[in-house]
Amino acid sequence: GRLVNPGAVLEIGWLLLKYSLITHKKELRKQVMSLFVDQMFNAAWDPNQGGIFTYLDVDGLSPTQLTWNMKLWWPVTEAMIALITAYKMSGERKFLNNFSRVFDYAMVHFREERHGEWYGYADNEGRVTHTFKGGPEKGRSPSWFIPAFHCWFLRRSDFNFLKGMVFVLK
């Protein structure tokens, strides 16, 4: 098929980056940074509205999924982890700059001001479409992904360059 799920590709990307580090496979690391992180991010980032598309078609056609251009919380978290991991391993500023773009998008469009939790679903323009914080997909709800994302960053003592960015829930 031609269907691409950018969130899943970005997630596989950061997992493969971790694997390449553990196994000392530098060539794999370069390929993953290029294909799974850089190229996937550039294809999935909406240049007009911001955010990560839910689905893409490999031939650049409109995907058949009706939700293809929605912006969901979990591809955003996977993009941030993939981009910051690629930056940490390579030192290339493009990864940090793209991380900042995704982070800013998430804080503007997904963050619920009163409690600091994230909404899960936004339309193509970034407007929240569902005001509940969880979702029908088991294990794929903001109530799991967002704290997991925060814990991932909080346990990273070597991310001193991110000082000033707040990743804690209210």
Side-chain angles (χ1 to χ4, degrees):
R2 298 187 334 239
L3 181 67
V4 177
N5 182 327
V9 174
L10 290 161
E11 179 180 23
I12 292 166
W14 71 261
L15 290 169
L16 284 171
L17 286 175
K18 296 292 185 180
Y19 172 79
S20 74
L21 187 65
I22 293 167
T23 59
H24 308 287
K25 296 185 176 187
K26 292 181 182 179
E27 191 57 38
L28 174 63
R29 190 175 314 140
K30 288 182 200 173
Q31 290 174 337
V32 170
M33 279 188 204
S34 175
L35 298 172
F36 286 77
V37 181
D38 194 32
Q39 288 182 35
M40 182 79 283
F41 173 77
N42 289 325
W45 181 257
D46 181 344
N48 300 314
Q49 304 293 334
I52 304 289
F53 288 121
T54 303
Y55 297 107
L56 297 173
D57 179 280
V58 295
D59 292 333
L61 303 172
S62 178
T64 58
Q65 289 67 22
L66 297 178
T67 58
W68 76 270
N69 65 348
M70 286 188 75
K71 311 300 169 47
L72 307 183
W73 71 95
W74 74 267
V76 166
T77 60
E78 298 299 355
M80 285 192 278
I81 293 171
L83 290 163
I84 209 67
T85 301
Y87 172 71
K88 183 64 179 167
M89 290 183 173
S90 70
E92 292 184 52
R93 298 278 310 170
K94 67 180 176 183
F95 295 119
L96 183 60
N97 293 339
N98 286 334
F99 166 85
S100 295
R101 288 167 59 191
V102 179
F103 179 83
D104 291 346
Y105 180 87
M107 293 300 106
V108 168
H109 298 283
F110 288 121
R111 189 167 183 274
E112 186 266 330
E113 287 295 322
R114 186 166 179 217
H115 300 289
E117 180 55 274
W118 286 16
Y119 295 111
Y121 307 91
D123 65 15
N124 187 43
E125 287 78 34
R127 295 180 299 252
V128 171
T129 59
H130 299 74
T131 57
F132 53 82
K133 309 291 187 329
E137 300 171 329
K138 185 176 172 140
R140 293 278 191 198
S141 68
S143 60
W144 180 86
F145 260 84
I146 304 310
F149 168 72
H150 288 269
C151 289
W152 187 88
F153 272 98
L154 291 174
R155 74 171 204 253
R156 303 294 305 179
S157 60
D158 56 342
F159 281 98
N160 292 326
F161 59 88
L162 291 176
K163 284 184 179 170
M165 290 187 177
V166 178
F167 293 101
V168 294
L169 299 173
K170 281 186 176 179

